[in-house]
Each structure stands twice: as structure tokens, then as C-alpha cells.
Amino acid sequence: MVLIDKRKEKIAKLIKVEGFSFQEIYDLISIPQDSARGDYALPCFKFAKTLRKSPVQIAEMLKEELKEIKDFDNIEAVSGYLNFTLKSEEVIKEIVENVVKDGSDFGNSDIGKDKTVCIDYSSINIAKPFHMGHLSTTAIGAALYRMYKKMGFTPIGINHLGDWGTQFGKLIVAYKKWSNQLDGEVTVHGLNSLYVKFHDEADKDPSLEDEARAWFKKIEDGNDEALKLYNFFKEVTLREVKKVYERLNVKFDSWDGEAFYNDKMGAIIDRLEELNLIELSDGAKVVNLAKYEVDPENSTTPPCLLVKADGATLYATRDLAAAFYRKKTYDFYKSLYVVAYQQNLHFSQVFKVIELMGEPWYKDLEHVAFGMVSLESGALSTRKGNVVLLEDVLNKAVEKSLDIITQKNPNLENKEDVAEKIGVGAVIYSALSTARIKDTVFSYDKVLSFEGETGPYLQYSNARCLSVLRRAKIECTNQEAIKKAFLNLTSKEIEGISDTYSKELVMLIDRLPFVVFEALEKYEPYLLSKYLIDVAKAFNKFYMENRILNAEEIYIRPRLALVYATHIVLEEGLKLLGIGAPQEM
Ligand code: ARG
């Protein structure tokens, strides 16, 4: 599947090289880093062997063949490349007017029509704090979700809650014994401290472990009291996390967690037995994977443990059942798991078992792994149970943002709202600004800088666009007014946005849908982040180099149109990343 670039397609169709298909030629054509080398370039190196000529000769030859074609401002053969410069006036007009016509729908595609993509992300654990370690999965998953939507897919956001396991037996014991020591309303923090206390006490008195097992058994058997407490823990947790999700503007279509699969694992184990894939190992049921190398970091693959000797199922058993359930329920095109790389082995084991079961869709399962975030001050969790809460990080970022804008723009209205957007946006951006797999260090000063490659820089650039448009009395949210104001630009007007800075910006604006598409192909939202930084930088250059409101009369309209188009790309891009765009800051 590729998102077709019409301009590139047109070029690819013109070029005929023996032994190479249209598609191969299309794929070879790229956009030169340096715009002085043209808008598109075809490297001729791949053709050398077949044509038995040097790339330099081939480029020259192809140029000669195209000499009758009048659709370009220039075609040049330069050291083995064939560089195409599109008809500047035409292409600038087309791109700017496209954005003007489409508004925030600019770049939408239906390439994903009728394709469902399951995205398992955030997937928090009940009665455990929503800590900084969940930032990446939440931000990456939600960004992918929105980008899939823009490309016409049907994404299904799944919060695979960690809501099952013997820890809930322990928590009941602790809650019954010590909840009177908690003050005020029961919070996740309170629950977590009870859980920590359980372990401290159980070190001294091992009989607590037996009690915990008995209570967990009661949850499994549906005992009233046990279920009531279990559900209460779930409620307390969800109430708190939903507040954070609201701030992050993150939503889910399904909250089916591990417990949901309790009655769905039996059938899978039966299938595995029928297929002779189950081996007994000290009474436990496992799938032996020793023959397969599933994870580069583990030369011998440990067996996938599915049922313990005492009959208990495991994390992997639930994921196996969940994968089948999702296939059956959503008939997905892809099913993604946005989970830290620490779980590489787990997912490769689960995927391998599904492959061994003969399910062809194992290929559509994708572990979208990411690296660790640490704070400048050190690790995220220091002592037992002492972690950095995501909410605290958001609060601190918002507080600092408020200080910054109060200094920069003391008369700004709704400072609190704006600070919330900047602070939260900065934290989200930080999780989306590097290739997923990298470990990163979080620094408040870095992520909040208005000048670096940050969320606030993007927001600031967008606000700058809006302020220009406001001064020109352009109503950005009225699509009809926008079209009336900016369509039908004349040649003379286009001249006003034909300088290198303007053209650079225009050509970048055109890339939005392709960048989103590529980011999805690679499950890398940071490609969009990086692109938006390029747009903002190009805009700021354009803005420095060109007068707008006090330009020569005929140049005002096209320049405002370009400012509007920039605003649309920045705002839409921020929205896709999950970052708010303040009107002023
Ligand atoms: N709750 C798990 C954790 O915090 C993540 C679950 C990821 N999703 C899954 N289907 N295993 O580690």
C-alpha cells in the first residue's frame, strides 16, 4: 500500500527505462534535501548495470529524451541524478489552494478504508500508580490512533487493563487489615501503599501469603465480598486515570483488560492441545520454543508458559486469548501493541505460538516497542513503590509554563488555559520527538523551551500565524470566508510567494499526508514531530524575510494565504500528536 504523490507519479510516468517498472521508478524518485537541486530527483545508479552505461550518461540520456516535455521549469542532469523543477507558479498555486479548499481536512485520505487497526496502548495496571513510565505508550498509541483515522482507517483503541493476578488477593488482605490507617478518600496512592505494606509484613509473617491466595481464589470463585473489593479497587483506579486521560485528550474504544479473558483462555489451550503444541514441564503447560530464535537478545528461546502446575494462567495466556478475540471481533488489518521493549521476549513468544497454530494473521501482529524515559534527577522509581507520577510531571510542566507566559506576555487572557495546553503539550511532545526505541532523559527546561525543537515552539509558531491572520481580520474558522479570501490567486499574486523562502515552505506543506503515511508505516510518530519542526522553521524564515501586512498591496493576499496554509498544517499536525494549539501565547 502506498499513498500516491500525484506530482511524483506524473514524473515517473514520463520515464521509461528498460527492465524497470513504473513502480520501481516511482519508488526511486525522491525529494532532494537541498531544494536548489529541484523539487524531485531520480537517481540513475540502479540503472547502470542493466543499461551498461554510467549513471551520469544515463541521466544525460533521459534528459535528452524528455527535451520535448514542457511541464517543468527545468530538468537537469547532475552527477547521475535527473533533477526536476516543477512549474513554480502552477505548483505553488495548486498547493496553497488545496489547503485553502480543504481546511483542516487537508491531507485526509481514504487509503485505509475498510481496514481496522487495533492499538493496544497505555494499558495501565489497577491499583498501581499511573507513572511517568506510561507516558510513551499513551502518547505514541494515541498519536497513531489519530493518524490512522486521518488516513481513513478504523482504529480501535484498547486499554488492556492489568486487572488480574494474585496481587489482588494480597491487596484485599492489606485493605481489610490496614485501610483504617489511610486518611481521607481512598486513592491509588493509598492502595499502592497498602500493597507495599503487605510485602513488608509478609516478610515477617508468611501466613499472610496464604491468606492472600485464599482471597484471590475467592475473587476467581465470584465470592461477593471479594468481588466487591476487587471492583472497588478498579473503580478507584479508573476514576483517577480518567482524569489524566482527559488532560492528555486520550480516548479508548475498549477497556477490556486481562480479566476479560478469564473465560476465553480454555478454548485456546484446548486448540493448542489438539495441535500437539503443549508440553508438560513439571506439571505446567508450556509451548516449547527452543527450536526458534524469536528474539535477537535470547539465543535460546524459553518456553511460553501458559498454565502453571496449580492451574493458574499467565500474562501470556491472556495475551494469546486477547489476540484471538481481537481477530474475531475486529477482523483487524493490523494489531499493534505499544509496549516497552522490556516485553520484547513476551510478545515474540506470543506471536510465535500464534504462528505455530497456523494462523496466517500472526504476521499482522506488531510489537511497537519503545525505550525508557528517565528524569534528569535520576531513575523514575527510587525506593519500593516510590515513583514519579505522570500527573505530577504534568502539573509541574503547567506551573512552569504559567511562569513563562506570565513573563513573556503579561496581558494574555486565559493564562491558565494556555499554560495547561503548553505544559501538557510539551510533555506529550517530548515523548514523540525521538525514534521510539531510544532511551531518553526528560528535562523540564528542554521540553518547555520556546526556541528548541519542542512542543511550545510549534504552538508558538502556530500562534504567530494566527496573530497575523487576526490582524488582517481573517476568520480562520469560517471555511467559506477563507475560500472567498484566498482562492483564485493570480500570476502576479503568486509572484509574492515565489521567493526561495516561500517556495520552500509551500513545498513542505504539501508533504503532510505523506509524512503521516510514512509515520504509520514505521509506527514512528516522531517523523511527524520532526516534520512539523521543519515547517515551523521554514515559516519563521519566510516570516523574517517577507513583509506580510505591510507588503506591496498585491502581495498581501497570497502571503496571508500561505500563513493560513501554514497554520492549518501546524494545527492539524499538533492535533494528530495530541497537543493543543493555543490561539495566543
Ligand atoms: N499492563 C502492562 C504493563 O503495564 C501492559 C500491557 C500491554 N498490553 C498487552 N496486551 N500485554 O506492563
Side-chain angles (χ1 to χ4, degrees), residues 120-126 131 134 137 158-163 258 315 318-319 322 326 336-340 343 346-347:
D120 179 325
Y121 64 104
S122 201
S123 298
I124 51 117
N125 302 313
I126 297 300
H131 62 84
H134 292 117
T137 168
I158 304 172
N159 199 325
H160 185 80
L161 298 176
D163 57 0
E258 296 190 37
Y315 183 53
R318 288 160 203 289
D319 259 326
R326 288 172 195 175
L336 315 183
Y337 299 82
V338 187
V339 185
Q343 296 192 29
H346 165 75
F347 284 107

Side-chain angles (χ1 to χ4, degrees), residues 107-154:
N108 286 9
S109 163
D110 59 2
I111 192 162
K113 196 164 160 279
D114 301 327
K115 290 192 172 73
T116 298
V117 178
C118 289
I119 314 175
D120 179 325
Y121 64 104
S122 201
S123 298
I124 51 117
N125 302 313
I126 297 300
K128 292 272 173 63
F130 193 173
H131 62 84
M132 191 59 179
H134 292 117
L135 172 64
S136 302
T137 168
T138 309
I140 294 170
L144 292 174
Y145 186 98
R146 297 188 195 90
M147 292 196 257
Y148 274 113
K149 242 191 172 146
K150 189 163 180 77
M151 291 289 113
F153 292 84
T154 307

Side-chain angles (χ1 to χ4, degrees), residues 231 248 294 302 360 377 389 410 445 465-466 489 495 510 520 554:
N231 284 325
L248 298 171
V294 299
S377 51
L389 296 181
D445 291 338
C465 294
L466 287 172
L489 296 166
E495 232 173 59
D510 191 45
L520 286 177
I554 186 93

